[in-house]
């Protein structure tokens, strides 16, 4: 109060600024709890000061009010309206400082006022702009009001979207024509600058709403980009024309800099280029059509403006063009998504989306490449120090251009500038330029072939070596990293004869790296780069530096003792050991291996990973030089890493074991004792699926079997692999209660065990033992099938399953009709016997039996496939659903084997596929859904093998209106074909009949079609990209609740309502969610938002889907959400305010899960940076956190941490 009195007092005005500083410090430091009370006291008094006649009091009060609103604006709700009126009145003040302070304060107020009051403020500002534009002397007021709108757009631009259609034309109309001579003054330049800044802010903050005005924004910014009324560029071009020949058509000499302190037109040009840059940044990414348009409309203009005389504007122009080229370069690169990176053909999918557009984009850039180079060369030629930043930006642009197009023919002109920059003595101002030049040189060496890089090596190599000897750590480290690119350019084929000229640079490279490698008192980045550079140098030129190898190995070994440089040293050793030159490390191999295997006991996962890879490379390059005793120690430590806690480390440890056994066969005894028990334990893990870890285990089995060593015989391999299903002790586990219970092995574990048995059997050199094993398996299956009655998970059942899978795996690679003629009949009989049991638990045995039958058939399809078809045909309608399912499951296994064939299908395999089609068509209308589902999967897999044969048959069945079941089956097949390496071109030609199924009269067909579209859009969005608007329209229709699809079921004591439309709504929202992940540009958020709000009010399952979509939109379109918070928060509030139940039941858990989901969505909304200024979100979050039960959930989900981060 005392400080406020002193500020408002007319006396001691000379001390007012000191009092003001004190009050602002108090506002900044007062505790939050006291701030509310203080803000109420101060706001009214400061508002009075704003209305005071004394200008100095106004200025200080406005300044303090800005700080007060910034910190406690949400608590001053009652004062907002009065403050708005006072601030709007001050915009008409005669003093500029008052108007500017009032504008800044209005921006802070806009962050906390309600939507209604904000709308009122904006309307008043726009009305004043209209009035001032109608008067000839209204420029000052127009400038102030436009600046106020611009300030508000920067603070809460997302909230102005609804009024953008009025704001944009009204504000931009004040720019007038660039040729209007009445606007050739400093005041007009400042007005235009503010208008363009406002446009930039609106483009950045309201990217969706501003789309309708982008054309105008591009035209305006392009016009004012060349606005320079005080300078004539044409005269300079005429004067420099005579020198163009001398400069080889790549530009002109530096012109005399024009300098006029009173000229402010450059600010207009700078604001214009920022508008263009904001448009490119917000709308070019993921929009190929818009990229093409910007390249056509703006590329020539931007290149022509490289001659800009104002240095800061020139830098912005070059940077803007670089950003445009970068968007093209990004779209050319293959894009890997966060999800499903292991899906077949997923990277090809992303390339398919942009193939046509990329060709157009890159062509447009390439067409203007000569012009861009011509415009860049004069920038690179400048010698004065103030041009360093522009030169750096120009080199960065050239690097981006090299990602889009080869610079082969232009390198002789532009490369000397980079080499010159690298060769100059280091200085603090030139270091950044040197770094950028190095990055460009490295990119050139990596991306161009030897015919281009060969001639420039004599100039490039000394420049890089000069940088390695430099002072700034970043330049030195980049120079060392460039050694890899330099090595590839000097010796593209390591085993080929090296060019004589390139050989001259090998020794200088070594001499430049060695001091950095040995030095201890240097930066860590330099240390690591030097180690890796030396490893690369020896990998490429080790045969020429063989005499220096001991020195280098000793230096690298010394780095192994340092924890910081240890991993870099391991990589260097691995690089040298893996070199195709097969550098002789025999004298050092044992010492290195002895020093390395101890690292396997360290905690660091990355260190263990590097150690395993390095040891593997050393063992393979040693030619048996590592002693058996040392190999045994390595195997002991490797065995400890083989478990299901880390499958990748397990894979590397097993690969190392394979390498040791291959190089030192006598180590097989240590492997049997230490490694193989761990491998057998890993085989029982359900986490071990198809993949590289299982492949490494099978390679180990194969290596041991082929070795046929007396210390680890074939019979021991089979016995130890089968131990988990034969040994009673191995079949027991300790339960959670500490008691012994029977172990339950998953199907994947049994499959892994069976593959090991099959691998050993197929690779043993002893044919008689192989036949004996197969005979024993068949006889055991025959003996056990009668005792498998209920399919329970007993040890005997597990062994039966393993035997079936084993004979199947053997039959997949071996024609059993010649080896064991009874195998097919035995498997068939076992299945027929099991089918007679009614127990539900027998289903697992049937599935495994079907897999075995299919695999046995694969080995001899000419004989066994007709038998399978006969069983399906002859049984017909008399067969049980279970029998048909089993036979179709066997057929699926056959189809899977055909998909694994490399290259084109043989005529015989095509014949087999053709014979399957009629059989599958017969079962399309089977009454059992499981059978139809299996038919769908078979059709889907066949489409992946031969789309041109299968898809026409499927599309013809899509149009069969006589059979709902058949349409359901075909729609479902689309889901299965979408998850593989699909022929997308063929599917595009046949996709329309599948899409029509989304409008089928049957609800089940529609839902299945939507789920298939969901899967297709996830894996191959390019197929449906052109149909996205049509699909989205259907999705919006299915999202609405339809009363006619609700029915009541009388359950006696009460009636239950069933909503048949619920599965369709869930599928529709799932599709939209996938679209936002795979092709977000097709979803118009403003159009989708009303449907999302309805979904947030739907049943729990739909709500949770919508909550997830809301979280996606927080990342994809935050401004649209923030401009519609009022309609989003209401349904979230209804969900969050539900009563949290404490009693643990399924329904209660589901209710609490919905509340958690809604809270995650709320705090994802609050985590948007601009949401910190949204009063409604902040108030709602505070209200939610005040409830103890909700606060507990928030704490358990760490939601506040996510907002802070």
């Amino acid at each position: 109060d005392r400080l406020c009195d002193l500020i408002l007092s007319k006396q001691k005005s000379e001390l007012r600024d000191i009092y003001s500083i004190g009050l602002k410090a108090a506002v900044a430091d007062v505790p939050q709890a006291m701030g509310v009370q203080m803000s109420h006291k101060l706001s009214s008094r400061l508002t009075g000061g704003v209305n005071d006649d004394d200008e100095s009091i106004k200025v200080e009060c406005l300044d303090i009010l800005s700080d007060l609103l910034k910190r406690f604006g949400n608590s001053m709700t009652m004062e907002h309206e009065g403050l708005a009126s006072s601030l709007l009145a001050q915009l008409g003040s005669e003093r500029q400082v008052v108007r500017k302070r009032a504008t800044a304060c209005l921006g802070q107020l806009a962050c906390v006022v309600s939507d209604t009051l904000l709308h009122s403020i904006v309307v008043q500002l726009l009305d004043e702009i209209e009035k001032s534009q109608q008067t000839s002397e209204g420029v000052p007021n127009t400038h102030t009001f436009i600046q106020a709108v611009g300030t508000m757009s920067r603070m809460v631009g997302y909230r102005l979207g609804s009024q953008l259609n009025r704001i944009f034309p009204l504000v931009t109309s004040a720019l007038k024509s660039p040729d209007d001579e009445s606007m050739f003054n400093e005041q007009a330049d400042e007005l235009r600058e503010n208008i363009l800044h406002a446009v930039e802010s609106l483009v950045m903050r309201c990217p969706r709403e501003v789309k309708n005005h982008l054309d105008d924004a591009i035209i305006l910014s392009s016009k004012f980009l060349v606005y320079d009324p005080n300078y004539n560029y044409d005269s300079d071009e005429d004067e420099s024309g005579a020198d163009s020949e001398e400069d080889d058509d790549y530009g002109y000499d530096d012109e005399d800099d024009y300098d006029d302190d009173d000229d402010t037109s450059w600010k207009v040009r700078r604001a214009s280029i920022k508008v263009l840059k904001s448009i490119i940044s917000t709308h070019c990414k993921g929009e190929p059509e818009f990229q093409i348009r910007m390249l056509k409309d703006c590329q020539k203009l931007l290149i022509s403006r490289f001659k800009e005389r104002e240095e800061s504007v020139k830098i912005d122009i070059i940077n803007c063009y670089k950003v445009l080229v970068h968007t093209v370069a990004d779209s050319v690169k293959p894009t890997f998504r966060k999800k499903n990176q292991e899906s077949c053909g997923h990277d090809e999918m992303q390339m398919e989306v942009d193939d046509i557009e990329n060709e157009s984009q890159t062509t447009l850039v390439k067409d203007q490449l000569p012009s861009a180079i011509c415009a860049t060369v004069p920038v690179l030629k400048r010698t004065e120090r103030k041009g360093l930043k522009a030169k750096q930006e120009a080199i960065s642009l050239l690097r981006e251009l090299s990602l889009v197009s080869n610079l082969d023919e232009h390198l002789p002109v532009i490369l000397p500038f980079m080499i010159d920059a690298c060769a100059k003595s280091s200085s603090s101002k030139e270091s950044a330029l040197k770094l950028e030049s190095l990055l460009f040189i490295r990119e050139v060496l990596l991306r161009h072939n030897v015919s281009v890089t060969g001639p420039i090596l004599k100039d490039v190599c000394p420049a890089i070596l000069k940088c390695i000897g430099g002072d700034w750590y970043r330049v030195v480290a980049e120079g060392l990293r460039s050694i890899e690119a330099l090595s590839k350019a000097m010796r593209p084929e390591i085993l080929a004869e090296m060019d004589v000229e390139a050989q001259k640079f090998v020794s200088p490279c070594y001499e430049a790296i060695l001091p950095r490698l040995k030095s201890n008192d240097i930066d860590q980045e330099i240390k690591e780069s030097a180690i890796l550079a030396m490893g690369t140098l020896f990998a490429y030129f080790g045969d020429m530096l063989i005499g220096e190898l001991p020195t280098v190995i000793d230096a690298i070994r010394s780095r192994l003792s340092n924890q910081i440089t240890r991993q870099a040293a391991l990589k260097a050793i691995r690089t040298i050991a893996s070199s195709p030159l097969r550098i002789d490390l025999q004298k050092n191999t044992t010492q290195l291996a002895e020093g390395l295997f101890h690292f396997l006991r360290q905690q660091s996962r990355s260190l263990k990973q590097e150690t395993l890879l390095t040891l593997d490379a050393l063992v393979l390059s040693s030619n048996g030089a590592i002693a058996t005793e040392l190999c045994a120690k390595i195997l002991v430590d490797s065995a400890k890493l083989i478990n299901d806690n880390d499958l990748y480390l397990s894979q590397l440890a097993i690969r190392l074991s394979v390498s040791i056994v291959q190089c030192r066969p006598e180590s097989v005894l240590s492997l049997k004792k230490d490694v193989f028990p761990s491998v057998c334990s890993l085989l029982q893990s359900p986490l071990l699926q198809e993949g590289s870890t299982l492949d490494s285990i099978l390679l180990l089995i194969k290596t041991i079997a082929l070795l046929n060593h007396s210390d680890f015989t074939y019979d021991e391999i089979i016995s130890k692999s089968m131990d988990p299903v034969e040994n009673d002790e191995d079949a027991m586990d300790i339960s959670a209660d500490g008691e012994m219970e029977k172990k339950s092995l998953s199907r994947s574990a049994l499959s892994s065990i069976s593959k090991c048995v099959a691998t050993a059997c197929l690779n043993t050199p002893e044919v008689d033992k192989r036949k004996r094993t197969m005979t024993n398996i068949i006889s055991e299956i025959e003996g056990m099938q009668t005792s498998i009655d209920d399919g329970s998970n007993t040890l005997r059942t597990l062994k039966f399953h393993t035997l079936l899978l084993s004979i199947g795996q053997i039959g997949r690679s071996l024609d059993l009709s010649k080896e064991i003629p009874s195998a097919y009949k035995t498997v068939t009989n076992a299945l027929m016997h099991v089918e007679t049991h009614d127990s539900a638990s027998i289903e697992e045995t049937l599935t495994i039996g079907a897999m075995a039958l299919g695999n046995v058939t694969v080995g001899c399809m000419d004989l066994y496939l007709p038998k399978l078809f006969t069983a399906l045909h002859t049984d017909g309608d008399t067969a049980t659903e279970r029998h048909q399912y089993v036979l179709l499951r066997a057929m699926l296994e056959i189809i899977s084997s055909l998909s694994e064939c490399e290259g084109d299908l043989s005529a015989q395999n095509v014949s087999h596929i053709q014979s399957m089609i009629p059989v599958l068509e017969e079962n399309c209308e089977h009454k059992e859904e499981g059978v139809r589902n299996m038919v769908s999967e078979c059709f889907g897999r066949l489409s992946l093998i031969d789309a041109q044969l299968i898809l026409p048959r499927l599309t013809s069945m899509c149009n069969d209106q006589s059979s709902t079941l058949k349409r359901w089956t075909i729609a479902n097949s689309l889901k299965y074909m979408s998850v593989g390496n699909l022929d997308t071109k063929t599917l595009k030609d046949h996709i329309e009949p599948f899409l029509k199924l989304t409008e089928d009269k049957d609800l089940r067909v529609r839902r299945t079609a939507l789920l298939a579209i969901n899967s297709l859009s996830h894996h191959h969005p390019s197929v449906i990209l052109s149909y996205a608007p049509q699909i989205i329209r259907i999705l919006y229709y299915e999202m609405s609740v339809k009363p006619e699809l609700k029915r009541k079921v009388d359950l006696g004591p009460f009636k239950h309502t069933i909503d048949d439309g619920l599965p369709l709504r869930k599928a529709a929202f799932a599709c939209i969610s996938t679209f936002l992940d795979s092709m977000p540009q097709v979803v118009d958020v403003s159009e989708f938002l009303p449907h999302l709000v309805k979904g947030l009010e739907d049943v729990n399952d739909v709500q949770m889907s919508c909550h997830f979509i809301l979280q996606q939109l927080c990342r994809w379109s935050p401004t649209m959400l923030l401009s519609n918070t009022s309609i989003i928060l209401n349904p979230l509030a209804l969900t969050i305010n539900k009563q949290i139940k404490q009693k643990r039941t399924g329904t209660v858990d589901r209710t609490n899960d919905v509340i958690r989901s809604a809270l995650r969505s709320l705090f994802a909304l609050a985590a948007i940076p601009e949401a910190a200024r949204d009063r409604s979100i902040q108030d709602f979050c505070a209200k939610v956190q005040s409830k103890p039960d909700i606060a507990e959930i928030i704490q358990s989900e760490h939601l506040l941490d996510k907002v802070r981060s």
Side-chain angles (χ1 to χ4, degrees), residues 24-164:
K24 284 196 287 186
V27 170
D29 297 335
V30 70
Q32 193 73 28
M34 297 172 58
V36 177
Q37 184 179 2
M38 186 187 76
S39 62
H40 286 302
K41 283 187 177 181
L42 284 179
S43 59
S44 58
R45 302 194 66 186
L46 291 174
T47 304
V50 168
N51 297 321
D52 197 282
D53 294 334
D54 192 324
E55 300 292 347
S56 63
I57 294 177
K58 283 185 180 182
V59 170
E60 298 299 344
C61 289
L62 286 169
D63 207 12
I64 298 168
L65 262 177
S66 292
D67 289 352
L68 191 65
L69 286 167
K70 187 174 182 179
R71 187 149 186 232
F72 302 110
N74 288 328
S75 310
M76 301 162 57
T77 311
M78 301 299 294
E79 291 85 4
H80 285 171
E81 194 168 346
L83 277 172
S85 299
S86 298
L87 294 174
L88 287 170
Q90 297 308 313
L91 295 179
S93 173
E94 294 180 359
R95 289 195 63 192
Q96 184 179 7
V97 65
V98 174
R99 296 199 304 271
K100 285 191 173 182
R101 296 287 173 88
T103 299
C105 195
L106 199 58
Q108 295 296 337
L109 180 65
C111 297
V112 294
V113 297
S114 64
D115 291 338
T116 304
L117 183 54
L118 179 64
H119 177 79
S120 174
I121 294 171
V122 174
V123 168
Q124 290 183 61
L125 288 172
L126 296 178
D127 289 342
E128 290 296 332
I129 293 172
E130 277 185 329
K131 291 176 185 177
S132 63
Q133 286 181 350
Q134 293 169 4
T135 64
S136 59
E137 299 178 355
V139 173
N141 282 339
T142 303
H143 168 254
T144 303
F145 296 134
I146 289 174
Q147 188 175 22
V149 173
T151 301
M152 293 172 69
S153 70
R154 285 190 291 275
M155 302 298 287
V156 288
Y158 56 87
R159 297 177 67 187
L160 303 181
S162 59
Q163 302 178 70
L164 196 61

Side-chain angles (χ1 to χ4, degrees), residues 193-205:
E193 181 190 10
N194 277 294
I195 292 172
L196 290 168
H197 281 321
V199 172
E200 177 199 359
S201 178
L202 291 170
V203 169
M204 295 292 289
R205 301 287 183 175

Side-chain angles (χ1 to χ4, degrees), residues 684-697:
Q684 301 173 50
S685 172
L687 301 178
L688 184 65
Q689 305 286 335
E690 295 280 347
S692 54
T693 305
L694 180 58
D695 291 342
S696 65
I697 293 174

Side-chain angles (χ1 to χ4, degrees), residues 646-713:
D646 193 324
L647 291 179
Y648 183 61
L649 283 182
S650 299
Q651 172 197 336
L652 296 179
I654 294 168
R655 292 275 180 177
L656 174 59
S657 302
V658 171
S659 300
I660 289 174
V661 171
Q662 287 174 340
C663 296
R664 278 287 187 180
E666 57 270 25
S667 299
V668 74
L669 183 61
S670 298
L671 184 142
K672 181 176 74 171
K673 183 178 69 173
D674 300 313
V675 175
F676 209 74
S678 299
V679 171
C680 291
S681 177
L682 180 59
L683 285 172
Q684 301 173 50
S685 172
L687 301 178
L688 184 65
Q689 305 286 335
E690 295 280 347
S692 54
T693 305
L694 180 58
D695 291 342
S696 65
I697 293 174
L698 298 180
L699 178 62
L700 178 65
I701 299 287
K702 179 180 178 180
T703 303
I704 300 170
L706 289 171
L707 193 61
N708 199 23
H709 201 281
S710 58
D711 288 338
F712 201 173
T713 64

